[in-house]
Amino acid sequence: QSFKLLGFLDVQSVPCARESVLYGSVGSLVVGLGYFLATSRVRRSCDFAVGGFICTTLGYWFYCRYNLAQQRIRQRMLKEAVRNKILYEGSHFDPARKQTGNERSDS
């Protein structure tokens, strides 16, 4: 059973959505409570809490998605390197294989 935030964001299936909402909740609590303790203004502290939620959620969302994209790029590069290693291992196209004088004269 999935949980949809605002009716369209499926928190379970979208990468980084769950963590973003959780960190946004903590951020709103910290900002709202901090502002309330500093000024004792209830309505204004609620406004700051909503702003803190939005800023923290969006900030962590972009940070997490950026890291996820970097990780996927590294995985793709590693997958390609492993495929090339398997394909070229032992052949004369293998860049890791060092040719000696005897191998060059045999070719």
Side-chain angles (χ1 to χ4, degrees):
Q1 184 177 3
S2 65
F3 173 71
K4 292 193 178 204
L5 185 67
L6 300 174
F8 65 90
L9 180 62
D10 189 7
V11 176
Q12 243 179 349
S13 65
V14 176
C16 300
R18 179 179 178 269
E19 292 86 6
S20 297
V21 171
L22 290 175
Y23 282 122
S25 301
V26 171
S28 73
L29 180 70
V30 168
V31 170
L33 189 61
Y35 190 83
F36 176 74
L37 291 176
T39 62
S40 297
R41 296 175 64 189
V42 176
R43 184 178 171 103
R44 192 73 169 156
S45 65
C46 289
D47 293 341
F48 269 83
V50 170
F53 174 78
I54 292 170
C55 291
T56 308
T57 301
L58 289 177
Y60 188 76
W61 171 267
F62 289 120
Y63 170 76
C64 183
R65 295 297 285 197
Y66 176 77
N67 284 339
L68 187 65
Q70 292 295 324
Q71 181 182 7
R72 286 182 180 167
I73 289 170
R74 285 191 301 268
Q75 284 176 343
R76 202 174 322 131
M77 289 173 54
L78 185 61
K79 185 178 179 181
E80 182 71 21
V82 168
R83 188 181 68 78
N84 286 340
K85 178 69 174 174
I86 291 170
L87 184 64
Y88 296 128
E89 188 173 24
S91 71
H92 66 280
F93 294 114
D94 189 5
R97 186 174 139 183
K98 295 182 181 177
Q99 293 183 346
T100 60
N102 292 338
E103 290 178 2
R104 287 187 200 151
S105 63
D106 290 341
S107 305

